[in-house]
Amino acid sequence: MCLRLVLVQLLLLIVANAALTTTQLAQPGCVRKCGELESIPYPFGTEADCYLNENFFINCSNTDNNTPIPFLWHSNIRVTNISMEGRLQVQSYVSTNCYDDKGNNTNSTSSLDMGQSTISDTQNKFTVIGCDSLGIIGGTIGEKNYSAGCISSCDKLEDVTNGSCSGFGCCRIDIPKGLKGIAVVASSIYEHKKVFQFNPCSYAFVIEGSRFNFSSSNLSATITETVPTAVDWAITGQGKCEEARNNQSYACKENSDCYEPDDQSAGGYLCKCKDGYQRNPYISNDCRGLGLGFVMMLVVVSWIYFILRNRRLIKLKEKFFQQNGGFLLQTQLSKRNGTCDTARIFGAEELKKATNNFDEKRIIGKGGYGTVYKGFLIDSNLVAIKKSKIVDQSQIEQFINEVTVLSQINHRNVVKLLGCCLETEVPLLVYEYVTNGTLFEHIHNNDNAPTIPWETRLRIAAENAGVLSYLHSAAATPIIHRDVKSSNILLDDNFTTKVSDFGASKLVPMDVTQLSTMVQGTLGYLDPEYLHTSQQGSSKR
């Protein structure tokens, strides 16, 4: 639960930091949204002291069903999106001209007056729909009057191509730069008499080009009352940037720059946070450096990653520990609590660190059952760590018994088993480190062989025979090594014998004479009677 709570808190911190760097904020204490308008960033606002001037007033009015709708000023112009890059999306009305089967005409004209704002010439298209239709748009550009239009016609529905406004059922023209105060009229040339059966109406409107795809169904269906239209806005009345900087009402605040966008036809200027800063350039001290926030997010994400990774590793270690008989070993060791010969259960990280992450340079031996690494424990003790190749899951109980019994063998001629690690996929065995290599290396290396006198060789043989006799006959539970050979006999600095590698050994209870498991690994010394009969010779004495 604690880990889950920490993760939730970290995720909330990331979300909060992300919101801090990306949200377009209103003035403190001001309404930030209205109905479906998700963000009302300053210089726009809905209340006194929440907007820069009257040009940026958003009238958030409730409808009959108490759903708030954002209108620009006190007009009927509905605002659906506000971009800090100097663009508004509003709903403008569609001009219609329709006829019924008796030739009666109903029509409506539309207009859109955005004050100092202009109709975006880069985002919108003037569009006319109908097979007997004429659309006209008028407005002003500076001090000049402007008017233009296009004709759309067709004789039959089959003349129309879906997706095309080339003049058959749909025509489209560009909007000039700087157009304000527009009026749109839709009309018919022949009162739709020739095409009434499939097209009784003409429509004309200004729409964002990307928001409309013409279809032949538009000729017979009723077009929506309003369409999305893009409008350019800017800070006006103070001149361009150079002049505005000297104005007392200059809108760009600390850590922000003034600019005049190339695709902007509204005139005036806009503000943006300097490179490396983000948020609202129109609010004092709101442009903030992204570096600290980014570092914070990076730290938080790293924390979450490491926590989740460590949690997975812990679960994996627990799985391997249980799979490798860890609980059984703990139970058996607890019965011997307080004795000096109790095997130690090592952690995976401790042995990983001891071998420098099982560096190949630390390898001191390889065999049929695994690889042996030289390791340095935290207490600076030198050990040999054997990493098995594979473990038979059906033999886990016997493996644990072997670890328990072998760790109790305190014979000067047996390599001491110090403990094991069960948190890895295959168990790791930890032995005392024997410094002088193997007998095989000494007797088969021409440089080393002459240095061992016969007396020493005889002592090594006698010590080896003595320890085998001890294992077979004197140990509390007899142990048959089953893989005695010169490469498994280690020597210390005094050439004292240390029998090692009990990977193929079997524990033999005193009352059991028959063994079903045959010799494994490379064949070395084995009692001849055991080799031929699979019976322990000492049991017949």
Side-chain angles (χ1 to χ4, degrees):
M1 288 299 294
C2 291
L3 177 59
R4 186 175 300 173
L5 181 60
V6 170
L7 288 177
V8 169
Q9 290 175 338
L10 291 176
L11 287 172
L12 289 175
L13 182 59
I14 289 178
V15 171
N17 189 67
L20 187 68
T21 57
T22 59
T23 302
Q24 297 174 351
L25 296 179
Q27 285 278 30
C30 295
V31 175
R32 298 186 179 187
K33 62 177 293 184
C34 176
E36 295 181 357
L37 181 59
E38 292 295 329
S39 177
I40 307 177
Y42 190 79
F44 292 87
T46 62
E47 303 167 299
D49 298 326
C50 289
Y51 50 85
L52 182 64
N53 57 51
E54 290 296 325
N55 291 332
F56 300 97
F57 170 55
I58 300 295
N59 183 9
C60 189
S61 301
N62 288 334
T63 58
D64 294 337
N65 58 1
N66 290 324
T67 300
I69 297 179
F71 294 102
L72 191 63
W73 319 312
H74 295 283
S75 69
N76 63 347
I77 302 173
R78 183 172 177 175
V79 181
T80 55
N81 187 59
I82 302 175
S83 166
M84 295 296 282
E85 284 71 43
R87 188 145 292 142
L88 288 176
Q89 186 185 85
V90 301
Q91 293 295 114
S92 64
Y93 286 93
V94 175
S95 176
T96 63
N97 184 17
C98 294
Y99 291 84
D100 60 19
D101 55 358
K102 297 180 180 180
N104 297 320
N105 170 252
T106 58
N107 61 75
S108 66
T109 60
S110 67
S111 61
L112 184 63
D113 187 354
M114 296 295 298
Q116 295 300 314
S117 299
T118 59
I119 308 301
S120 174
D121 59 299
T122 60
Q123 302 294 312
N124 300 306
K125 298 288 184 181
F126 175 62
T127 305
V128 177
I129 293 176
C131 283
D132 179 20
S133 303
L134 167 65
I136 298 174
I137 180 173
T140 59
I141 302 176
E143 300 296 326
K144 299 180 294 185
N145 292 324
Y146 166 85
S147 63
C150 68
I151 295 176
S152 170
S153 64
C154 56
D155 295 328
K156 53 186 182 298
L157 197 60
E158 289 75 16
D159 294 341
V160 175
T161 302
N162 288 337
S164 172
C165 276
S166 58
F168 291 98
C170 175
C171 66
R172 175 181 292 174
I173 62 174
D174 291 335
I175 299 293
K177 192 178 185 70
L179 184 62
K180 298 180 181 179
I182 63 170
V184 175
V185 177
S187 62
S188 171
I189 300 175
Y190 300 106
E191 299 179 346
H192 284 267
K193 292 178 180 178
K194 298 180 180 180
V195 295
F196 176 78
Q197 295 301 321
F198 64 91
N199 176 227
C201 296
S202 297
Y203 302 100
F205 46 86
V206 175
I207 189 171
E208 281 190 82
S210 61
R211 302 295 297 272
F212 178 71
N213 187 32
F214 173 68
S215 169
S216 59
S217 62
N218 297 139
L219 297 174
S220 56
T222 301
I223 297 292
T224 57
E225 185 179 12
T226 60
V227 293
T229 303
V231 177
D232 292 333
W233 67 267
I235 308 297
T236 57
Q238 302 174 15
K240 300 291 185 178
C241 285
E242 185 175 354
E243 183 180 355
R245 288 189 183 97
N246 299 318
N247 194 298
Q248 188 176 0
S249 301
Y250 181 55
C252 300
K253 301 303 180 183
E254 299 85 356
N255 298 314
S256 68
D257 291 322
C258 177
Y259 73 104
E260 301 154 13
D262 295 335
D263 62 345
Q264 179 67 263
S265 59
Y269 66 92
L270 294 171
C271 305
K272 64 178 180 179
C273 291
K274 291 179 180 292
D275 292 341
Y277 293 80
Q278 199 166 342
R279 294 207 2 152
N280 196 322
Y282 300 97
I283 299 177
S284 182
N285 294 312
D286 201 55
C287 287
R288 304 179 184 179
L290 293 177
L292 182 61
F294 177 78
V295 171
M296 184 184 299
M297 288 184 65
L298 185 62
V299 170
V300 170
V301 170
S302 299
W303 267 81
I304 291 176
Y305 169 76
F306 285 117
I307 288 173
L308 293 178
R309 189 191 68 168
N310 290 338
R311 189 175 184 180
R312 287 194 297 268
L313 288 176
I314 290 172
K315 287 186 176 180
L316 190 61
K317 288 178 182 179
E318 291 175 349
K319 172 187 173 184
F320 288 146
F321 187 81
Q322 181 176 4
Q323 179 178 292
N324 292 328
F327 297 125
L328 176 60
L329 180 59
Q330 282 181 330
T331 301
Q332 295 193 9
L333 293 180
S334 65
K335 297 176 181 178
R336 306 177 183 276
N337 191 26
T339 63
C340 60
D341 56 5
T342 302
R344 176 182 169 188
I345 299 179
F346 291 87
E349 290 302 318
E350 182 179 2
L351 298 188
K352 184 177 179 181
K353 184 177 181 180
T355 58
N356 194 22
N357 196 21
F358 297 98
D359 190 346
E360 290 188 358
K361 296 178 181 179
R362 294 286 185 90
I363 294 176
I364 56 175
K366 288 186 177 181
Y369 288 92
T371 303
V372 182
Y373 296 84
K374 182 178 181 180
F376 297 89
L377 297 181
I378 297 176
D379 56 10
S380 300
N381 281 341
L382 195 57
V383 293
I385 300 172
K386 182 177 180 181
K387 188 176 185 180
S388 303
K389 288 184 178 179
I390 192 171
V391 170
D392 186 352
Q393 291 299 313
S394 65
Q395 303 296 320
I396 285 296
E397 184 174 353
Q398 182 172 344
F399 165 76
I400 295 301
N401 288 333
E402 290 180 7
V403 170
T404 305
V405 173
L406 291 176
S407 67
Q408 299 172 55
I409 298 176
N410 191 16
H411 194 285
R412 68 188 300 268
N413 298 122
V414 175
V415 175
K416 179 67 176 175
L417 177 65
L418 303 177
C420 64
C421 173
L422 305 177
E423 294 179 347
T424 53
E425 186 173 6
V426 293
L428 303 173
L429 298 176
V430 183
Y431 296 92
E432 67 170 314
Y433 184 79
V434 183
T435 56
N436 208 9
T438 67
L439 178 62
F440 179 90
E441 295 169 347
H442 284 277
I443 63 178
H444 291 285
N445 188 314
N446 293 331
D447 295 331
N448 292 337
T451 63
I452 306 179
W454 278 107
E455 293 82 359
T456 302
R457 296 179 185 227
L458 289 173
R459 178 171 57 78
I460 292 172
E463 290 175 347
N464 190 59
V467 74
L468 290 176
S469 175
Y470 166 79
L471 293 173
H472 289 185
S473 305
T477 301
I479 302 172
I480 297 179
H481 190 289
R482 302 199 305 166
D483 196 18
V484 179
K485 54 191 177 185
S486 59
S487 60
N488 286 340
I489 298 174
L490 304 181
L491 302 173
D492 64 12
D493 290 334
N494 297 319
F495 289 94
T496 301
T497 299
K498 297 283 187 178
V499 177
S500 69
D501 202 346
F502 286 80
S505 66
K506 286 293 178 182
L507 303 177
V508 185
M510 295 298 291
D511 58 345
V512 175
T513 59
Q514 185 69 31
L515 292 174
S516 59
T517 305
M518 294 302 292
V519 177
Q520 302 178 28
T522 305
L523 186 62
Y525 167 79
L526 196 67
D527 185 301
E529 185 175 350
Y530 175 69
L531 177 63
H532 291 292
T533 67
S534 295
Q535 291 182 341
Q536 182 187 6
S538 61
S539 66
K540 291 187 175 183
R541 295 174 184 168

